[in-house]
Amino acid sequence: MEIASRNKRKTHSKKTKNEVVFDIFIYGIAILLILLIVYPLWFVIIASFSDPSDVANGRIWFWPQEWRLDGYQKLFEQSLIWRSYLNTILYTVAGTLFALLVNIPAGYALSRKDLYGRKFIALVFVIPMFVSGGLIPIYLTVKAVGLLNNFWVMVIPFSVSSYNIIVARTFFNNSIPEGLWEAAQIDGCSTIRYLTSIVLPLSKAILAVIGLWTAVGIWNSWFNALIYLQDENLQPLQLILRRLLINNQMLQTQVSGSLASELRATADMMKYAAIVVSTAPIMMLYPFLQKYFNQGVMIGAIKE
């Protein structure tokens, strides 16, 4: 009887021909999608180390014909690059920590069923997702509170995110059992102690999700710096790179002949090098948070 049941399991474990064909089709589509996503990133990397003429003439596909560092050398010769790089790192770290500090407690508070006026407060958070005060009122407010041309203008005014608060609230509603709060109350645990000692250690997934979203947003941000920062020593990397590329394009329109070709080649080298320099650090952060990110984005954004 044991042999018969074992043979039955083997029979059920074997895939039919149609299932095998379907699996091959699915894996083929997955591999194709991966190539479509990965190849453009790889092309930018190899183009940044290649001769611009080889890239322009289509001679670069999978590997540089000649390894060159001219683009990176030209880029890092700019005096403000290193300072703006440090500014971006500081803005990203401080902005992410501050965003977690304000959004996570707000999401937790909205998840509490004993919060008086919870639905009205949630509505107040939802309204700014659809209606904004506009650029000029925000600018006047930032100027009135003394944050204009200040380091903290990239950290404080735009740290509150209604979407992140709602995602955090949904996560707490679905992932933190109410029985934990009742048990903590029996042991004499306060609300703050319960949040910091019990809830947050169980919420690594949503912390990773909101932290990564915020960090990527701050790292890629340049418009806020363009509006609120006039001091070049306070401007982030993205804004400095944008200015360098625009200046190179303007120079190309003012000259002709061999000088224009040389400026175009320099601009192309710096363009690819700038993409690599500005995206590599934030891309290297994702693998360390991937496990928590996948779990948190599914629980926090889909379940309700």
Side-chain angles (χ1 to χ4, degrees):
M1 187 160 184
E2 182 180 353
I3 296 176
S5 61
R6 189 179 303 171
N7 292 334
K8 186 177 180 180
R9 286 197 300 269
K10 287 183 178 180
T11 303
H12 284 293
S13 63
K14 289 183 178 179
K15 294 184 177 181
T16 64
K17 183 179 179 180
N18 291 336
E19 290 176 336
V20 172
V21 172
F22 180 76
D23 288 345
I24 294 175
F25 175 76
I26 292 298
Y27 281 115
I29 294 295
I31 293 173
L32 179 62
L33 291 175
I34 291 173
L35 291 176
L36 290 175
I37 295 172
V38 172
Y39 180 73
L41 300 176
W42 175 246
F43 179 80
V44 169
I45 294 175
I46 61 176
S48 67
F49 291 100
S50 302
D51 191 323
S53 61
D54 292 337
V55 178
N57 295 325
R59 293 195 291 265
I60 301 298
W61 288 93
F62 297 103
W63 200 257
Q65 292 191 351
E66 178 186 359
W67 289 88
R68 299 182 59 175
L69 296 174
D70 298 0
Y72 293 94
Q73 291 175 353
K74 293 287 185 181
L75 184 64
F76 289 123
E77 283 175 1
Q78 309 300 319
S79 58
L80 290 174
I81 287 295
W82 294 108
R83 178 63 188 178
S84 64
Y85 220 125
L86 177 61
N87 290 338
T88 299
I89 294 174
L90 294 176
Y91 292 145
T92 302
V93 174
T96 301
L97 293 177
F98 192 81
L100 291 174
L101 184 64
V102 297
N103 291 314
I104 293 298
Y108 171 73
L110 288 178
S111 71
R112 299 298 309 159
K113 297 179 180 179
D114 54 352
L115 175 65
Y116 182 76
R118 183 174 65 147
K119 292 184 179 180
F120 175 76
I121 297 174
L123 179 63
V124 171
F125 279 112
V126 170
I127 291 175
M129 297 178 64
F130 303 96
V131 181
S132 174
L135 179 60
I136 295 177
I138 295 175
Y139 180 87
L140 294 176
T141 302
V142 169
K143 183 178 180 180
V145 298
L147 289 178
L148 194 64
N149 206 34
N150 187 292
F151 172 88
W152 295 105
V153 75
M154 298 294 291
V155 176
I156 297 177
F158 310 99
S159 58
V160 176
S161 170
S162 298
Y163 179 78
N164 288 341
I165 291 173
I166 293 173
V167 170
R169 180 200 64 180
T170 307
F171 177 87
F172 292 132
N173 279 335
N174 291 278
S175 302
I176 306 299
E178 187 65 22
L180 285 178
W181 169 239
E182 297 174 357
Q185 283 183 308
I186 294 174
D187 292 336
C189 185
S190 65
T191 303
I192 300 298
R193 178 76 180 276
Y194 173 70
L195 174 63
T196 56
S197 301
I198 300 177
V199 175
L200 292 184
L202 297 175
S203 305
K204 294 179 181 178
I206 199 62
L207 292 175
V209 170
I210 294 180
L212 186 60
W213 283 346
T214 305
V216 171
I218 297 175
W219 186 273
N220 293 326
S221 176
W222 61 270
F223 184 75
N224 289 338
L226 179 66
I227 300 299
Y228 303 109
L229 293 177
Q230 286 77 43
D231 188 354
E232 290 185 343
N233 292 322
L234 292 175
Q235 292 176 348
L237 177 66
Q238 306 295 344
L239 186 58
I240 299 298
L241 294 179
R242 175 180 176 273
R243 183 185 306 162
L244 291 176
L245 296 178
I246 291 175
N247 291 340
N248 286 334
Q249 292 176 355
M250 293 178 60
L251 286 175
Q252 293 177 37
T253 61
Q254 298 173 2
V255 297
S256 59
S258 60
L259 182 57
S261 300
E262 182 179 349
L263 289 175
R264 188 178 301 108
T266 301
D268 289 340
M269 288 188 297
M270 292 179 62
K271 175 178 64 177
Y272 289 115
I275 295 174
V276 174
V277 166
S278 61
T279 57
I282 203 69
M283 289 182 64
M284 289 188 293
L285 181 65
Y286 178 77
F288 298 99
L289 302 175
Q290 182 180 6
K291 177 178 67 174
Y292 301 115
F293 181 82
N294 292 338
Q295 178 187 354
V297 74
M298 293 298 292
I299 296 175
I302 295 179
K303 288 187 178 180
E304 180 59 51

